[in-house]
Amino acid sequence: MSEQNGSPDPFSDTSVQSPAVSNTTASSDRPDRTVIKAEDLNVYYDDEQALNGVDLEIPERKVTAIIGPSGCGKSTFLRSINRMNDLIESARVEGELYLHGKNVYDDDVDPVALRRQVGMVFQKPNPFPKSIYDNVAYGLDIQGKEGDYDEMVETALRRSALWEEVKGQLDQSGLDLSGGQQQRLCIARAIAVDPEVILMDEPASALDPVATSQIEDLIEELAEDYTVVIVTHNMQQAARISDKTAVFLTGGELVEFDDTDKIFENPESQRVEDYITGKFG
């Protein structure tokens, strides 16, 4: 729903956009401005607790890495941000998760509109069985965006570092691209609708080293315009590309969150140091 009790849904296309969306100088003016804030966030799948009292503030236009062993709640946290967990029947969320001070779990928030603001790129590239052009234009068409689609598609492909490789074959199926190209196509599709936040769940885990390097370079470039949150099992990758790192450990507990350099060079928690150095996990 887009309106309740006379208040416009802050995630709908008709509402006033947040300063971070409309003011391109916000990042330089307030480099540590919080975009996403979790307060005592708990997520359950039936009786199993996946996240345990998470408190976390994610800054604007930086890369925040979420690391930790398998089963520690990394992807659950990521999916909580744009309410993808709503699609899991057994999932239950308690606590608060704010986007620009608005709890995304409030009754007046439309999850579909929220996902226009908070895009997502998955572990396995998932292009549609459509042409390269139609893959990128899909979201534009669904949202009824006005303007020159050719220009918007080209812009998205350029920003995803794919234009020069595919500009002569936009009618070709996206499924015919290499794995790395498919993932960059999915990134182009995500950014074409101009979200503010991009969530990435292991975006390079299925790619070869060359394609992984291209994705990492792209993530660093995207952070100039977007807030990027990435889940990764690859601690070296987190150290290379992220500004902030959150360490989740067994039981869905956020143990430490700080500047990436500090997490990897001088963590406060012995448990985090043991994980970083490979003593467990």
Side-chain angles (χ1 to χ4, degrees):
M1 67 188 69
S2 62
E3 187 170 323
Q4 183 172 331
N5 299 328
S7 298
D9 174 3
F11 305 111
S12 70
D13 288 338
T14 58
S15 66
V16 177
Q17 293 297 313
S18 64
V21 175
S22 60
N23 182 1
T24 57
T25 64
S27 179
S28 59
D29 291 341
R30 290 183 284 185
D32 294 321
R33 181 182 182 196
T34 296
V35 173
I36 299 162
K37 182 178 182 179
E39 288 187 350
D40 193 25
L41 183 67
N42 299 272
V43 178
Y44 302 83
Y45 299 114
D46 288 326
D47 295 329
E48 180 180 351
Q49 188 165 10
L51 290 179
N52 188 351
V54 173
D55 295 305
L56 178 61
E57 296 187 15
I58 294 176
E60 179 182 52
R61 296 188 193 177
K62 294 184 184 294
V63 179
T64 297
I66 311 292
I67 66 172
S70 297
C72 70
K74 301 186 301 296
S75 293
T76 293
F77 176 75
L78 201 72
R79 292 195 300 264
S80 297
I81 297 172
N82 68 347
R83 292 183 55 171
M84 290 292 289
N85 286 325
D86 289 13
L87 306 177
I88 302 174
E89 187 175 350
S90 63
R92 183 174 85 258
V93 178
E94 297 177 357
E96 285 74 42
L97 203 157
Y98 300 97
L99 178 64
H100 289 300
K102 173 67 175 177
N103 188 352
V104 302
Y105 286 92
D106 281 350
D107 291 339
D108 62 342
V109 172
D110 179 356
V112 175
L114 170 64
R115 292 172 199 141
R116 297 173 190 153
Q117 192 104 355
V118 185
M120 192 161 188
V121 177
F122 297 92
Q123 178 176 2
K124 183 179 179 181
N126 60 340
F128 300 141
K130 300 173 178 287
S131 70
I132 294 169
Y133 183 98
D134 287 342
N135 262 274
V136 181
Y138 177 82
L140 300 172
D141 189 48
I142 289 295
Q143 293 188 28
K145 291 282 189 181
E146 297 182 356
D148 186 338
Y149 275 25
D150 290 350
E151 181 178 339
M152 288 187 279
V153 167
E154 179 178 342
T155 297
L157 288 170
R158 285 188 181 279
R159 298 182 84 174
S160 63
L162 190 57
W163 174 254
E164 292 300 327
E165 298 170 40
V166 303
K167 61 183 179 182
Q169 54 195 49
L170 296 181
D171 291 334
Q172 178 181 327
S173 171
L175 298 175
D176 292 338
L177 299 175
S178 69
Q181 289 175 321
Q182 287 187 15
Q183 192 65 298
R184 282 182 283 149
L185 177 62
C186 293
I187 292 171
R189 187 175 67 200
I191 65 178
V193 296
D194 199 25
E196 181 185 353
V197 177
I198 302 175
L199 310 177
M200 297 186 170
D201 194 354
E202 297 277 1
S205 64
L207 305 179
D208 62 51
V210 172
T212 295
S213 178
Q214 291 174 324
I215 294 295
E216 290 181 0
D217 290 344
L218 176 57
I219 290 170
E220 292 183 290
E221 292 174 12
L222 290 174
E224 296 178 7
D225 299 299
Y226 305 95
T227 298
V228 180
V229 187
I230 177 173
V231 162
T232 179
H233 279 95
N234 187 328
M235 286 188 284
Q236 290 77 21
Q237 182 177 79
R240 284 193 298 267
I241 67 172
S242 68
D243 304 290
K244 297 279 189 177
T245 295
V247 185
F248 284 71
L249 295 179
T250 305
E253 178 187 0
L254 173 61
V255 178
E256 192 165 343
F257 175 64
D258 213 322
D259 292 341
T260 294
D261 289 345
K262 187 175 186 305
I263 290 289
F264 283 94
E265 295 173 8
N266 187 29
E268 293 184 2
S269 169
Q270 184 63 47
R271 295 167 64 195
V272 170
E273 182 172 350
D274 289 347
Y275 175 70
I276 295 292
T277 58
K279 292 183 180 178
F280 77 91

